[in-house]
Amino acid sequence: MSSAWKVAYADFVTALMAFFLLMWILNMVPPETKQGLAEYFAEEATLQPKAASPSSRGSLNSGVGGVDFQGGSGPGLAQSQRGAISQKLQGIIMADTTLRNASNLSSDDMGVLLRVNNSVLFDPGMAELTDTGRTMLDGVMDVLREYNVYLVVRGHADAAESTRSPHASAWELSAARAAATVNYLAEHGIMPTRLRAVAYADTRPVQPGTSEVSLSRNRRVEFYFHRPEASVSRMEY
């Protein structure tokens, strides 16, 4: 008598065990993780990015920097998605002379980074948004409404700023500015779960700080746009 049925039966039992194991794992997964998975598989239909134009594959200069499009896979933004978001941010920058001379736009395989000097968003030593700052954040909201991405806001300040501030230290000042920024976005309809505020004080300068120009560029707020499922451990917050 042939024993082929035994092989088929063993395969069936193995598949059945794998199925029940999968059901058990899904039952143990927190709801927020399930939501993240759902957003991952729905993103291609939700994001609907514009195709990057040939000019966007080069350098899109803004102030002191440009856009560097790199390849990549996994949880990072696709090149076409980075190109579309970068082009929209570039339009916001180019529409304002002050912002054009005090911002920097770049990207990596995880997302898109917009740096804006503190002087554009806040008065010296303060954490209340200026009119120019609110206008710029309105543009950031347009990006968040159009694309299925999350946002990390990073505050940077130094001791020179904090001495002219009601905030006791550069840590508190940079934290207050990051918080004011995400609070404005949340108050105007952006889901708070899509936002994160981080403070760095003067611990991550982009330039040595040997002149007032370089110091002013170190005093900044950074907007990092990334996919919902991008792992915190893989992102340089």
Side-chain angles (χ1 to χ4, degrees), residues 218-235:
N218 291 335
R219 301 164 188 155
R220 66 199 188 276
V221 175
E222 295 178 331
F223 300 83
Y224 190 69
F225 301 84
H226 63 93
R227 278 166 61 138
E229 68 280 5
S231 168
V232 172
S233 62
R234 289 196 57 193
M235 295 175 59

Side-chain angles (χ1 to χ4, degrees), residues 43 75-79 81-82 85 109-112 149 225 227:
E43 183 181 2
L77 289 173
Q79 178 173 326
Q81 297 165 357
R82 298 197 308 271
I85 293 172
D109 61 346
M110 296 297 293
V112 177
V149 292
F225 301 84
R227 278 166 61 138

Side-chain angles (χ1 to χ4, degrees), residues 55-70 82 86-87 89-90 93-94 100 103-108 111-115:
S55 60
S56 71
R57 298 187 178 94
S59 174
L60 296 177
N61 290 327
S62 171
V64 296
V67 176
D68 177 23
F69 294 111
Q70 303 174 14
R82 298 197 308 271
S86 297
Q87 283 185 325
L89 292 173
Q90 183 75 4
I93 292 169
M94 298 305 293
R100 191 185 315 154
S103 64
N104 171 264
L105 188 60
S106 62
S107 72
D108 56 25
V112 177
L113 175 65
L114 171 63
R115 287 177 175 148

Side-chain angles (χ1 to χ4, degrees), residues 168-207:
S169 69
W171 285 105
E172 291 172 270
L173 178 57
S174 60
R177 286 173 168 173
T181 301
V182 297
N183 188 57
Y184 181 87
L185 297 173
E187 286 181 343
H188 288 78
I190 302 301
M191 289 293 294
T193 53
R194 298 175 64 193
L195 304 170
R196 183 185 298 268
V198 186
Y200 283 125
D202 59 353
T203 62
R204 295 197 176 185
V206 292
Q207 295 187 359

Side-chain angles (χ1 to χ4, degrees), residues 16-31 33-34 37:
L16 192 62
M17 290 178 62
F19 173 76
F20 282 113
L21 180 61
L22 176 62
M23 293 297 100
W24 178 79
I25 292 173
L26 289 175
N27 188 57
M28 299 295 291
V29 171
T33 303
K34 293 179 181 178
L37 289 171

Side-chain angles (χ1 to χ4, degrees), residues 2-25:
S2 173
S3 60
W5 69 271
K6 296 180 182 179
V7 176
Y9 180 72
D11 289 343
F12 169 74
V13 172
T14 301
L16 192 62
M17 290 178 62
F19 173 76
F20 282 113
L21 180 61
L22 176 62
M23 293 297 100
W24 178 79
I25 292 173

